[in-house]
Amino acid sequence: MILDAVTVPGYWGMRYLGFPRLMPMNLTVGVTYRCNSKCATCNIWKKRKVGELSAAEFQKAFASVGSTPYWVTFSGGEPFLREDLEDIVASACTTMRPGIVNIPTNGLAEKTAERVAKIAADNPRTHVIVNLSLDGVGKRHDEIRGVPGAFEKAVKTYRDMQALSPGNLELGIHTVISKYNVNDIPEIFEFAETLKPGAYITEIAEKRAELGTGDDITPSLEDYEKAVGFLKDRMKRKRGARIPRLINALRRQYYDLTVKTLRDRRQAIPCYAGYASAQITPEGDVWPCCVRADVLGNLREADYDFKRIWFGKKAETVRASIRKGECHCPLANASYTNMLANPKALAKLCFDVLR
């Protein structure tokens, strides 16, 4: 699927006019709740064991989605604890044909680098992005992640992945900005730069139903503004091609929208969760997002027909709630989609790229 000038505005029509009826362009696939970290900012590792969808079940669901998704994220828990992750990703690339596949990892699982190489090699027409989670430098990372030696293992995994050769593979560093590390962002950023990532990205720690977290992990507005102010300043010092400039413009606007959301306690721009973005959980529930985690339906109960769930009555009820602004959050994954689907935000992005 190619993201084009027709598809993106279509979500505006779907939200306000009810037409066209589109499948999501941004799909997150939770493959497991299992995790080998015990992060201070996430309680997903405490979740009960669930009957995870098999690779064959995921394939049936992906086939029902079709080729609309442009960006597919495989999340966890720790995705590489799924021994069949390669098969799940391959079936997504074959059936949905996304332009981008994104996989976050803590870098602790055995043979992660070798498995990343296989995923990239098996799906040569897909741009594969793997982001290593880094929430501190040295022992500070270990403390936040709850695993002694996690920093050393993560950095080794990253360097092993750097030694790979697939041209469709991009490596990045990802930091969750929380009350535990908000004042350490300059140090984390400077260290990340020594690893020469394709991108350094952040998102804010927040209350999420999926993670079982509350507002107590979110940094103060003042501290967060200082942290992202530093990051925005570093972005200005870098000049690149049009695509990197677009990505940086998206990140700058995300930081601004997050500040506005935290300050005003309402949707900074209209949210398109349930329209342009969606999530599938490890046990097959379909959600509009991982923050509210409204169950629109279960794939097993719907004979793996995502479309039946997506256009069902429960989905329409939840969309109406989101449309009325009955929720607000700074979820990064959804925010990027929201910007592309919002005419005013999109115009601002274009101006930022061209100036």
Side-chain angles (χ1 to χ4, degrees), residues 61-166:
F62 297 155
S64 75
V65 173
S67 60
T68 301
Y70 180 76
W71 183 293
V72 178
T73 299
F74 292 93
S75 69
E78 169 53 42
F80 285 95
L81 291 183
R82 282 287 302 236
E83 294 181 357
D84 56 356
L85 180 63
E86 293 92 328
D87 295 332
I88 297 172
V89 175
S91 67
C93 292
T94 300
T95 56
M96 296 188 292
R97 301 192 296 279
I100 297 172
V101 157
N102 178 57
I103 310 174
T105 180
N106 59 25
L108 299 182
E110 294 293 328
K111 299 183 179 180
T112 295
E114 293 91 331
R115 297 181 66 189
V116 166
K118 178 172 173 51
I119 289 171
D122 287 350
N123 307 286
R125 296 184 178 180
T126 304
H127 187 62
V128 178
I129 301 174
V130 176
N131 289 317
L132 179 77
S133 297
L134 199 65
D135 291 337
V137 178
K139 291 184 178 180
R140 190 70 187 121
H141 175 80
D142 296 356
E143 291 169 357
I144 294 174
R145 289 270 153 178
V147 178
F151 179 79
E152 184 178 346
K153 291 180 181 177
V155 172
K156 181 182 184 303
T157 294
Y158 188 84
R159 288 176 172 149
D160 288 345
M161 289 191 293
Q162 278 185 316
L164 305 174
S165 58

Side-chain angles (χ1 to χ4, degrees), residues 278-355:
Q279 180 158 338
I280 297 173
T281 71
E283 68 268 48
D285 287 339
V286 176
W287 295 345
C289 70
C290 63
V291 173
R292 291 178 45 137
D294 303 273
V295 179
L296 308 184
N298 182 273
L299 288 166
R300 283 174 172 148
E301 296 171 4
D303 196 26
Y304 308 99
D305 189 344
F306 184 97
K307 185 176 294 185
R308 186 199 305 178
I309 296 172
W310 193 240
F311 297 124
K313 291 184 178 180
K314 180 62 182 293
E316 292 302 325
T317 300
V318 172
R319 286 191 191 104
S321 173
I322 295 171
R323 189 168 58 247
K324 292 175 184 176
E326 294 178 348
C327 57
H328 63 272
C329 76
L331 178 64
N333 192 299
S335 291
Y336 293 126
T337 307
N338 296 344
M339 285 180 251
L340 293 174
N342 180 264
K344 187 178 291 186
L346 189 58
K348 184 178 179 181
L349 283 172
C350 293
F351 177 75
D352 195 4
V353 171
L354 296 173
R355 69 178 177 177

Side-chain angles (χ1 to χ4, degrees), residues 9-328:
Y11 292 106
W12 186 93
M14 182 179 176
R15 191 178 197 275
Y16 293 102
L17 306 174
F19 181 85
R21 302 206 319 166
L22 299 171
M23 301 294 269
M25 67 177 178
N26 180 354
L27 181 64
T28 297
V29 181
V31 294
T32 186
Y33 289 137
R34 291 175 285 145
C35 194
N36 45 8
S37 289
K38 298 180 179 180
C39 300
T41 57
C42 176
N43 294 317
I44 204 167
W45 55 276
K46 296 180 181 179
K47 281 200 170 189
R48 61 179 175 79
K49 292 182 179 180
V50 300
E52 298 171 350
L53 294 182
S54 67
E57 288 178 301
F58 272 121
Q59 185 171 25
K60 291 179 183 178
F62 297 155
S64 75
V65 173
S67 60
T68 301
Y70 180 76
W71 183 293
V72 178
T73 299
F74 292 93
S75 69
E78 169 53 42
F80 285 95
L81 291 183
R82 282 287 302 236
E83 294 181 357
D84 56 356
L85 180 63
E86 293 92 328
D87 295 332
I88 297 172
V89 175
S91 67
C93 292
T94 300
T95 56
M96 296 188 292
R97 301 192 296 279
I100 297 172
V101 157
N102 178 57
I103 310 174
T105 180
N106 59 25
L108 299 182
E110 294 293 328
K111 299 183 179 180
T112 295
E114 293 91 331
R115 297 181 66 189
V116 166
K118 178 172 173 51
I119 289 171
D122 287 350
N123 307 286
R125 296 184 178 180
T126 304
H127 187 62
V128 178
I129 301 174
V130 176
N131 289 317
L132 179 77
S133 297
L134 199 65
D135 291 337
V137 178
K139 291 184 178 180
R140 190 70 187 121
H141 175 80
D142 296 356
E143 291 169 357
I144 294 174
R145 289 270 153 178
V147 178
F151 179 79
E152 184 178 346
K153 291 180 181 177
V155 172
K156 181 182 184 303
T157 294
Y158 188 84
R159 288 176 172 149
D160 288 345
M161 289 191 293
Q162 278 185 316
L164 305 174
S165 58
N168 61 325
L169 175 64
E170 178 184 337
L171 300 178
I173 302 293
H174 174 271
T175 298
V176 175
I177 302 180
S178 69
K179 70 176 185 180
Y180 304 107
N181 65 0
V182 64
N183 296 315
D184 302 330
I185 293 305
E187 179 187 14
I188 299 171
F189 174 85
E190 296 299 346
F191 176 79
E193 285 291 281
T194 67
L195 297 177
K196 297 179 170 50
Y200 176 74
I201 60 176
T202 71
E203 65 178 309
I204 191 168
E206 61 182 320
K207 180 180 180 179
R208 290 193 196 180
E210 179 190 31
L211 306 183
T213 52
D215 295 323
D216 57 317
I217 59 174
T218 304
S220 69
L221 177 59
E222 180 182 4
D223 287 343
Y224 181 75
E225 283 190 286
K226 289 180 181 177
V228 297
F230 167 83
L231 294 174
K232 288 164 68 176
D233 178 68
R234 287 297 184 270
M235 287 181 191
K236 288 180 181 178
R237 301 183 187 186
K238 290 187 173 184
R239 297 182 180 275
R242 283 283 183 257
I243 294 300
R245 288 175 67 179
L246 173 60
I247 292 172
N248 282 337
L250 279 165
R251 290 184 187 130
R252 282 192 294 269
Q253 191 166 159
Y254 164 68
Y255 295 145
D256 292 341
L257 291 174
T258 299
V259 168
K260 190 172 181 181
T261 302
L262 292 175
R263 184 184 63 233
D264 299 342
R265 296 293 175 179
R266 61 184 178 84
Q267 292 179 13
I269 60 174
C271 181
Y272 283 81
Y275 295 91
S277 57
Q279 180 158 338
I280 297 173
T281 71
E283 68 268 48
D285 287 339
V286 176
W287 295 345
C289 70
C290 63
V291 173
R292 291 178 45 137
D294 303 273
V295 179
L296 308 184
N298 182 273
L299 288 166
R300 283 174 172 148
E301 296 171 4
D303 196 26
Y304 308 99
D305 189 344
F306 184 97
K307 185 176 294 185
R308 186 199 305 178
I309 296 172
W310 193 240
F311 297 124
K313 291 184 178 180
K314 180 62 182 293
E316 292 302 325
T317 300
V318 172
R319 286 191 191 104
S321 173
I322 295 171
R323 189 168 58 247
K324 292 175 184 176
E326 294 178 348
C327 57
H328 63 272

